[in-house]
Amino acid sequence: MAMTSAMEDIDYNRKNFTIDCDLYRHPLQMTEGHYKYHLYRDEVGQLHCRKNNKGEFIRSPRSLSDTCIHTMVIDPLNMAKVKNQEIPFDLYPMMLTEAIYQRELHAITNLLSTWPTPVLTVHELLPLEDYIEPNYVTAPVNGLNMTLLDAFIFGLLNQKPESRLKFLDFTKFDKDKKLCKELCRLPLLWMRPEDRCVEDIHSYLKGTIEISKDKVQRFINRITVIYSDMEPDLEHGNMFGPITIMLDLKMNMDDVPIGLALQHITPFRFVCNKLWMQSIPEVALSLQNINKILDPLIISHFEMEDNQVSTNKAKQLALIRGLNTMPNLSGLSLSNTLDVTVSTDIITKLNRVLRLYRNLRKLNLSYCNLKSHISTLLAGIRTPMIYLNLRDCRLTEDDLTFLKNWPSLNALRELNISRNNLSQYHNLCLATLSRMDLLACFSSSYCSLSLQTIKTIVHECQSLATLKVLCIQNFTPPSWEDLHSIIFEVAKIQSLQKCIILPEAYAFPGNNESDRSLNKSRLRARTYRYLKQKGRPDILLE
């Protein structure tokens, strides 16, 4: 399993792998109407309302300023009259936070359309009392056919002359599957319906992406249907800006490359630090054309998964040329993209690119067939790597020998070598582990290792003062006696926060999925009781 991602920015020293940080952002209060209820956390972090001696919930009135802001944002007539010259600009952030918390979409639209400062960072203004679900901004609000993001889109399209907004930061929503595609519809929505000519749009798009006229027509038809109820309220062709929108860009739906390719004939500009790319049916964007729609110099993290690269010379060339335009990458993920049994040229060319990078810290090559070619790929890289994912890369003795002596090894904070058959190379695995003094996360799951080797790995980990996550699963569940002996050693790893030792539920005995899940839960509960006996209830067991 991937403990973290090459696309994440992790502070390994401060990260606690046992808690959900979003749960702990909630303050010890809950707002309802004009009152704030007082809360407390129990020993496992759950929130509860405080009660007085009579068993009544303890509450106090909101401040006068909070009450006034609340009264204003819930009144559509008041919000329709909002002008930034009439309201102190430092009240705008508080008003937007309240409008989001109350799900007052009209207020969000009005505030955004008259925003008084050049920069707006959305994530910083989210209410602390809201739990940020993956679809937080794209889920329908209160049974309506609209979302928080729709309100932001309306505000962007209906910009007023007094608005000073120039830069909208929509990052930190990378788990939302809809946000990118909906924001990238802005250029087409901005265009007047009568100007959405298939011939003109196709002519403009084909300089950047490969797309048929029929696909363009179907795309326009789809957007027209989706926004048919909203179109009359949009100010098409509204001249303002430009407004630059920064987001964690996931290019996995046709809306995204089409919208990006159309941006320059509209007031919107898109930029990103993090870019995910996948193959999209009927819409082909070559990586070598990425500089036509984005500024590659500010891209710090890039992920692409395409199992056709090894068999397609054109895609290989595009990958190398595209990566050459991103010299400031700190994280690179090419999962399931390389296969040395098909082509080794791409490995050599990729190594030349990696050697040029000065900021590269994270590299994910999981599910790439790199058998006996790790040295070809990683040799000569000058930057100290902190993350390396080689899950299911068909590692051989030569590969492990290279890793053991690799200069960057002692700087690694996370190493994943799971899903490689290491049964014959356990000594090399242990020698590699002994050189990683800063290691925080390590996975050797599903590597066909013997029970004794797993015990030795755990024993070796006891000398690692920074280890927080250890993954040592086997394909079949261990007996209680074996599990008992391993956990006895695991409990001695003082810095450990999380241990993943049990295989997936389907590997457990049982007549059906429910029985197998139950058997896994029982074994996990028994193991956790033993951890508590050893004085380590703080270790999360999976």
Side-chain angles (χ1 to χ4, degrees):
M1 65 171 295
M3 294 159 284
T4 69
S5 163
M7 301 295 284
E8 294 179 83
D9 294 311
I10 300 291
D11 184 341
Y12 289 98
N13 292 329
R14 300 180 62 183
K15 173 75 173 178
N16 188 328
F17 290 89
T18 66
I19 65 172
D20 182 347
C21 293
D22 284 337
L23 288 176
Y24 280 81
R25 70 190 292 274
H26 197 297
L28 295 179
Q29 64 185 34
M30 181 181 67
T31 304
E32 185 174 321
H34 298 310
Y35 291 95
K36 289 185 177 181
Y37 290 82
H38 299 208
L39 308 177
Y40 70 93
R41 292 186 187 277
D42 61 20
E43 62 278 3
V44 296
Q46 293 295 318
L47 289 170
H48 303 274
C49 280
R50 292 189 179 278
K51 297 180 181 180
N52 58 24
N53 295 334
K54 298 179 181 180
E56 300 168 331
F57 294 132
I58 299 176
R59 66 181 186 176
S60 58
R62 299 181 73 181
S63 67
L64 180 59
S65 60
D66 286 347
T67 301
C68 290
I69 288 173
H70 171 80
T71 302
M72 179 173 285
V73 300
I74 64 173
D75 187 338
L77 293 178
N78 278 337
M79 290 307 302
K81 300 175 184 177
V82 165
K83 293 184 178 180
N84 59 27
Q85 298 98 328
E86 300 172 355
I87 298 177
F89 74 90
D90 57 342
L91 285 183
Y92 261 72
M94 291 183 280
M95 291 171 67
L96 182 56
T97 299
E98 183 70 16
I100 294 173
Y101 185 62
Q102 301 298 338
R103 302 303 191 264
E104 294 290 347
L105 303 186
H106 65 91
I108 296 172
T109 295
N110 285 323
L111 289 167
L112 198 64
S113 67
T114 59
W115 197 255
T117 59
V119 177
L120 169 56
T121 303
V122 176
H123 200 272
E124 291 181 357
L125 298 182
L126 298 183
L128 292 177
E129 295 180 37
D130 277 351
Y131 179 70
I132 311 303
E133 298 278 2
N135 63 342
Y136 178 81
V137 295
T138 57
V141 171
N142 299 332
L144 301 176
N145 192 28
M146 287 191 65
T147 67
L148 290 174
L149 185 60
D150 288 333
F152 277 92
I153 289 175
F154 267 67
L156 286 169
L157 291 169
N158 295 348
Q159 287 287 290
K160 304 302 181 186
E162 62 266 28
S163 174
R164 298 178 184 175
L165 185 62
K166 301 297 179 185
F167 188 90
L168 179 64
D169 186 341
F170 244 114
T171 59
K172 299 187 179 179
F173 294 97
D174 53 289
K175 293 182 174 61
D176 195 310
K177 297 179 180 179
K178 298 179 181 179
L179 183 138
C180 289
K181 72 172 184 178
E182 295 190 13
L183 279 177
C184 287
R185 292 170 179 170
L186 276 167
L188 191 69
L189 291 174
W190 175 86
M191 298 172 67
R192 296 182 180 89
E194 61 269 23
D195 293 336
R196 297 171 190 170
C197 172
V198 175
E199 293 286 344
D200 293 343
I201 292 178
H202 179 260
S203 177
Y204 193 84
L205 290 175
K206 68 180 183 181
T208 305
I209 59 180
E210 295 180 23
I211 187 171
S212 68
K213 290 181 182 178
D214 178 65
K215 174 61 179 176
V216 173
Q217 181 68 73
R218 284 183 280 125
F219 177 75
I220 294 174
N221 292 344
R222 175 159 56 88
I223 299 302
T224 301
V225 170
I226 292 174
Y227 293 92
S228 59
D229 293 337
M230 306 178 190
E231 291 262 31
D233 298 320
L234 299 178
E235 293 189 29
H236 300 293
N238 186 16
M239 298 306 298
F240 55 84
I243 294 178
T244 299
I245 301 173
M246 173 172 277
L247 64 166
D248 297 323
L249 189 61
K250 295 199 171 183
M251 205 176 299
N252 53 9
M253 300 289 288
D254 55 7
D255 310 70
V256 181
I258 293 175
L260 294 178
L262 290 174
Q263 63 181 306
H264 294 292
I265 57 175
T266 77
F268 299 105
R269 301 293 180 267
F270 294 90
V271 295
C272 70
N273 292 140
K274 297 183 179 182
L275 173 63
W276 290 258
M277 286 187 68
Q278 294 180 10
S279 295
I280 302 172
E282 301 184 85
V283 181
L285 172 63
S286 174
L287 186 58
Q288 63 187 352
N289 289 336
I290 201 69
N291 58 354
K292 294 183 179 181
I293 57 175
L294 294 169
D295 181 0
L297 295 179
I298 67 171
I299 297 177
S300 60
H301 297 70
F302 174 67
E303 176 175 295
M304 186 181 80
E305 182 174 344
D306 188 345
N307 58 13
Q308 297 180 5
V309 167
S310 294
T311 59
N312 189 314
K313 292 291 185 181
K315 287 194 172 187
Q316 291 181 25
L317 180 61
L319 173 61
I320 297 303
R321 286 180 175 176
L323 291 177
N324 272 318
T325 67
M326 306 179 199
N328 298 312
L329 285 185
S330 61
L332 175 60
S333 178
L334 297 173
S335 180
N336 194 28
T337 299
L338 309 173
D339 188 345
V340 297
T341 63
V342 178
S343 173
T344 57
D345 289 345
I346 184 65
I347 305 297
T348 303
K349 293 175 182 177
L350 182 57
N351 173 258
R352 292 176 189 151
V353 176
L354 298 180
R355 286 174 180 237
L356 297 175
Y357 288 153
R358 293 293 177 265
N359 302 315
L360 190 65
R361 296 292 182 271
K362 294 191 168 190
L363 186 59
N364 175 20
L365 301 166
S366 58
Y367 302 103
C368 293
N369 187 343
L370 301 174
K371 186 176 182 179
S372 299
H373 280 75
I374 293 294
S375 60
T376 306
L377 186 56
L378 300 183
I381 296 178
R382 302 178 187 180
T383 58
M385 304 284 287
I386 64 170
Y387 174 103
L388 183 62
N389 190 340
L390 298 175
R391 178 182 174 89
D392 198 7
C393 287
R394 322 293 202 277
L395 299 183
T396 64
E397 183 177 6
D398 290 341
D399 295 324
L400 289 173
T401 300
F402 172 83
L403 278 180
K404 179 173 69 73
N405 300 302
W406 189 39
S408 282
L409 189 67
N410 57 5
L412 281 182
R413 305 304 310 274
E414 181 166 343
L415 176 63
N416 190 337
I417 53 174
S418 61
R419 293 279 180 184
N420 291 284
N421 187 348
L422 305 180
S423 58
Q424 303 300 313
Y425 318 126
H426 56 274
N427 288 332
L428 285 170
C429 180
L430 292 168
T432 301
L433 187 60
S434 67
R435 284 198 54 220
M436 295 184 286
D437 295 334
L438 300 177
L439 197 63
C441 304
F442 177 68
S443 177
S444 59
S445 292
Y446 305 116
C447 288
S448 302
L449 298 173
S450 67
L451 172 65
Q452 185 55 49
T453 299
I454 292 176
K455 286 182 179 179
T456 308
I457 287 175
V458 175
H459 182 74
E460 186 70 38
C461 288
Q462 292 171 7
S463 63
L464 299 176
T466 58
L467 189 68
K468 295 185 175 184
V469 180
L470 178 62
C471 306
I472 47 175
Q473 297 157 288
N474 251 337
F475 291 102
T476 56
S479 66
W480 171 245
E481 291 74 17
D482 291 341
L483 187 58
H484 182 279
S485 62
I486 295 173
I487 293 298
F488 178 80
E489 299 296 331
V490 165
K492 298 178 182 179
I493 306 176
Q494 295 302 313
S495 58
L496 196 66
Q497 297 175 354
K498 186 175 183 179
C499 180
I500 303 176
I501 190 172
L502 301 178
E504 300 298 329
Y506 63 76
F508 282 76
N511 296 322
N512 50 53
E513 184 178 347
S514 178
D515 285 349
R516 290 187 284 272
S517 296
L518 181 60
N519 286 331
K520 178 178 179 177
S521 297
R522 286 171 174 167
L523 183 58
R524 181 170 53 212
R526 185 179 182 185
T527 307
Y528 185 67
R529 287 195 296 271
Y530 180 66
L531 272 175
K532 291 182 71 174
Q533 292 174 13
K534 303 303 295 182
R536 293 304 306 274
D538 56 305
I539 296 178
L540 179 63
L541 195 70
E542 293 185 1

